[in-house]
Amino acid sequence: MFNFERRKRKEDKCAAYRQLPMKILPFFVEHFTTRLHNLYKVFNSKTAELLSHHQVEIKQEFPKEGWVEQDPKEILQSVYECIEKTCEKLGQLNIDISNIKAIGVSNQRETTVVWDKLTGEPLYNAVAAPVSPGPSVPVAVVRSGSSVPAAGTSSVWLDLRTQSTVENLSKRIPGNNNFVKSKTGLPLSTYFSAVKLRWLLDNVRKVQKAVEENRALFGTIDSWLIWSLTGGVNGGVHCTDVTNASRTMLFNIHSLEWDKELCEFFEIPMEILPNVRSSSEIYGLMKISHSLKAGALEGVPISGCLGDQSAALVGQMCFQDGQAKNTYGTGCFLLCNTGHKCVFSEHGLLTTVAYKLGRDKPVYYALEGSVAIAGAVIRWLRDNLGIIKSSEEIEKLAKEVGTSYGCYFVPAFSGLYAPYWEPSARGIICGLTQFTNKCHIAFAALEAVCFQTREILDAMNRDCGIPLSHLQVDGGMTSNKILMQLQADILYIPVVKPSMPETTALGAAMAAGAAEGVGVWSLEPEDLSAVTMERFEPQINAEESEIRYSTWKKAVMKSMGWVTTQSPESGIP
């Protein structure tokens, strides 16, 4: 049993902007439902008071086992609906929408869309990344310093249709020259966009025909939204930013350009790729849409674009080498800022672009580790086993026992990600006795999230050479106080949570407001002031922490080698 007492204190390293009288932060996706939502929240930045909120439900489609898709047109329509509803609510708050000065976009990074540039119609559904940590967060920035929700998409996960594509491609990479990883920082995996695009080119005739006729455009969700919001077929801007481009496996993270050798390897025509821009600059202006009343936000610049995890890194103010954050959502994503230097991991982590906050600003890199199943394990306990009726119940069950009683849960439902990258693994629950009950399993599920984070953090410490002194956290699961205390115990370092955990939205707003030509948001250190943080200190001894962790590692080894191949691919007529 352990004490769930929590402590609060001021953290000077994390901040909000003192010059901004009000901040309105947008969409937050509910991760633990069978359907996803776009949700925005309206806050006062001085008090963190919730002023208003609105959400739009987004459906997922499961055309075959192991396939997860979403309708790009539904995603775009939800953007328009959120703009309209937000503007209405701002009016009710006596906030003039003419004060909105910029729009930023943050998105789940690897989800892939191909559309027809002449008609504006998607050529197939958006093909999802195998795991997603959280929301896509387009935001707008108001002259007073507010960021106003302008648009939103949701995320989907666990799409495994490209496994055989990966297996075939891997045979073509020389064992002594992994040029894909050396140029991109990424392993060849179903996770990234290039293999999804390759699958679409191989299996969807409409995509093939559009490429042959020079009508096709490719992008991740940010590209689809920016192109559509800036005019679509009437002059829409086809672009992405360096953080999203770095997750495609087609982008050279050293030269910051699309790489001809990589495109030839994946057989991707370079003319369908978006232009790559910095994360903070004016890409284009909002255009009137028939879906918007009175041309809401027409002429407002779209000036910020960050992949969701980079946005959270910026929102957590991790601007210094060695600062790290972990986002707890459907999965977990731990990023550590490595500065201007690409650090290549020897322990299973990814090297990625963290951000580039301006055309003439330097690029920053990060090491990243991903946990495939975090919040998703709570949903599994609810929907598949039925031992809880709502995601909130797991905290109550875990608190009843305060221990897993030797039960360990490895939720490798779709394999293991960092640091193992082992697709043959499958989920196991071990250490069961006649005494084990649903409370112990609930506790073990929360511990599993923390143990997986510990594995990534250990790998990161070995690669960087400097152990983290504390971990900054955000995301929907951080509201679970038992989880946060467990995380501190298992890492044996303090866990620090901001009072406003929607840091993805904050990062997008910062990038948009700081862009040249907008200038309503300063990123200078002297413009930062301290905000209240919640701090969880380790409450067990180091020896107990290590014993629990070593037993977890034993359980992980038993989860490996269950399958040799994934579900076969099938063509689409």
Side-chain angles (χ1 to χ4, degrees):
M1 304 285 287
F2 59 81
N3 185 354
F4 301 114
E5 177 187 359
R6 66 188 190 278
R7 305 173 186 177
K8 293 186 177 181
R9 77 166 195 175
K10 296 280 186 178
E11 282 289 329
D12 292 334
K13 293 183 180 179
C14 299
Y17 287 80
R18 72 165 70 94
Q19 80 269 28
L20 306 178
M22 182 170 59
K23 187 175 312 304
I24 302 174
L25 294 177
F27 312 113
F28 178 76
V29 174
E30 173 58 66
H31 302 294
F32 307 145
T33 58
T34 53
R35 292 187 176 187
L36 299 175
H37 297 80
N38 290 335
L39 170 67
Y40 74 77
K41 297 182 178 180
V42 184
F43 291 89
N44 182 302
S45 66
K46 286 187 174 180
T47 65
E49 177 189 2
L50 180 64
L51 301 177
S52 180
H53 63 89
H54 178 72
Q55 69 181 27
V56 176
E57 186 176 273
I58 300 289
K59 291 183 294 186
Q60 298 178 80
E61 298 182 20
F62 305 92
K64 294 189 179 184
E65 183 180 357
W67 293 23
V68 188
E69 301 173 357
Q70 284 186 323
D71 181 354
K73 292 177 71 175
E74 184 184 1
I75 290 172
L76 182 59
Q77 187 55 43
S78 76
V79 168
Y80 292 138
E81 182 176 344
C82 285
I83 292 174
E84 186 174 307
K85 296 296 184 183
T86 299
C87 290
E88 289 177 4
K89 292 187 177 184
L90 289 175
Q92 294 167 7
L93 293 170
N94 296 318
I95 298 173
D96 188 344
I97 65 170
S98 67
N99 287 327
I100 297 173
K101 295 301 177 184
I103 296 167
V105 177
S106 178
N107 59 289
Q108 195 279 316
R109 297 167 294 180
E110 295 83 8
T111 295
T112 298
V113 186
V114 180
W115 66 95
D116 189 317
K117 66 183 178 183
L118 300 183
T119 67
E121 292 293 312
L123 297 167
Y124 190 74
N125 277 343
V127 179
V131 64
S132 169
S136 300
V137 188
V139 301
V141 178
V142 185
R143 176 165 45 195
S144 66
S146 306
S147 64
V148 179
T153 71
S154 64
S155 51
V156 284
W157 45 289
L158 299 177
D159 192 291
L160 298 170
R161 75 186 73 190
T162 56
Q163 183 61 40
S164 65
T165 301
V166 169
E167 291 170 357
N168 292 333
L169 287 168
S170 65
K171 297 172 184 175
R172 295 167 47 197
I173 298 178
N176 59 351
N177 179 26
N178 190 340
F179 64 94
V180 174
K181 187 171 184 179
S182 65
K183 289 187 174 191
T184 68
L186 310 174
L188 188 59
S189 168
T190 59
Y191 190 90
F192 306 107
S193 305
V195 293
K196 303 179 202 311
L197 180 53
R198 183 66 259 156
W199 185 92
L200 290 169
L201 289 167
D202 288 339
N203 292 280
V204 181
R205 180 56 190 152
K206 287 173 68 176
V207 173
Q208 297 165 355
K209 194 169 188 294
V211 170
E212 292 165 3
E213 296 175 0
N214 196 31
R215 293 183 287 108
L217 295 178
F218 153 79
T220 42
I221 293 296
D222 59 303
S223 296
W224 165 242
L225 287 181
I226 293 173
W227 183 83
S228 300
L229 295 174
T230 55
V233 296
N234 298 311
V237 178
H238 186 214
C239 70
T240 188
D241 90 302
V242 290
T243 66
N244 283 292
S246 73
R247 309 295 289 192
T248 62
M249 277 199 303
L250 302 172
F251 186 71
N252 189 313
I253 62 174
H254 309 285
S255 66
L256 302 183
E257 296 174 331
W258 299 120
D259 190 279
K260 184 178 179 181
E261 183 183 15
L262 291 170
C263 289
E264 289 176 349
F265 174 73
F266 289 103
E267 299 180 83
I268 304 297
M270 296 184 73
E271 57 269 18
I272 72 173
L273 304 178
N275 292 321
V276 182
R277 312 277 284 273
S278 77
S279 307
S280 179
E281 62 177 276
I282 295 175
Y283 312 113
L285 306 181
M286 276 283 292
K287 296 290 177 65
I288 289 179
S289 165
H290 67 278
S291 301
L292 296 180
K293 292 179 180 177
L297 307 188
E298 181 190 8
V300 176
I302 299 176
S303 55
C305 182
L306 286 158
D308 50 7
Q309 297 313 305
S310 291
L313 194 72
V314 171
Q316 285 271 28
M317 319 295 174
C318 293
F319 294 132
Q320 303 299 318
D321 295 15
Q323 285 187 297
K325 69 88 200 172
N326 195 28
T327 298
Y328 297 76
T330 304
C332 281
F333 286 76
L334 201 160
L335 268 71
C336 179
N337 189 330
T338 62
H340 306 307
K341 179 175 61 175
C342 273
V343 175
F344 281 88
S345 175
E346 296 180 1
H347 303 95
L349 304 181
L350 310 180
T351 303
T352 195
V353 175
Y355 53 82
K356 187 178 188 292
L357 296 174
R359 280 179 291 186
D360 301 322
K361 300 292 185 180
V363 64
Y364 282 75
Y365 296 94
L367 276 175
E368 175 174 333
S370 56
V371 172
I373 302 293
V377 75
I378 313 304
R379 185 177 72 175
W380 185 83
L381 290 176
R382 187 197 69 185
D383 296 345
N384 293 45
L385 294 193
I387 69 172
I388 55 174
K389 293 181 180 178
S390 69
S391 57
E392 293 76 20
E393 278 187 48
I394 194 165
E395 187 170 6
K396 180 182 177 182
L397 287 182
K399 190 173 183 178
E400 283 184 25
V401 290
T403 176
S404 67
Y405 198 73
C407 173
Y408 286 81
F409 188 166
V410 182
F413 299 147
S414 58
L416 292 167
Y417 285 74
Y420 301 102
W421 295 99
E422 180 50 70
S424 73
R426 285 297 178 268
I428 63 169
I429 301 176
C430 55
L432 300 174
T433 70
Q434 287 181 306
F435 181 72
T436 305
N437 62 35
K438 66 180 182 180
C439 296
H440 299 115
I441 293 174
F443 196 97
L446 294 182
E447 278 192 316
V449 176
C450 302
F451 285 131
Q452 291 176 99
T453 298
R454 164 84 187 261
E455 289 184 311
I456 293 172
L457 194 65
D458 282 359
M460 206 163 273
N461 287 338
R462 290 194 294 270
D463 285 323
C464 293
I466 304 174
L468 289 180
S469 60
H470 68 277
L471 181 64
Q472 294 171 223
V473 300
D474 57 72
M477 290 190 77
T478 60
S479 62
N480 187 319
K481 296 176 178 60
I482 292 180
L483 176 70
M484 293 295 95
Q485 185 58 59
L486 275 171
Q487 190 67 87
D489 290 345
I490 289 167
L491 295 179
Y492 212 68
I493 59 174
V495 168
V496 179
K497 172 191 167 186
S499 56
M500 191 284 295
E502 290 84 356
T503 55
T504 302
L506 177 60
M510 291 166 62
E516 183 179 354
V518 178
V520 298
W521 206 308
S522 172
L523 300 182
E524 296 302 320
E526 60 268 22
D527 293 321
L528 304 178
S529 59
V531 295
T532 301
M533 308 293 291
E534 192 167 10
R535 186 179 177 95
F536 297 83
E537 300 280 354
Q539 294 182 357
I540 63 174
N541 61 51
E543 183 180 4
E544 182 184 348
S545 179
E546 290 303 315
I547 290 172
R548 285 158 66 175
Y549 182 51
S550 63
T551 309
W552 157 264
K553 301 279 279 188
K554 190 191 305 183
V556 169
M557 298 309 294
K558 294 183 183 298
S559 76
M560 296 183 185
W562 285 90
V563 293
T564 54
T565 59
Q566 300 290 340
S567 301
E569 298 178 6
S570 297
I572 302 297

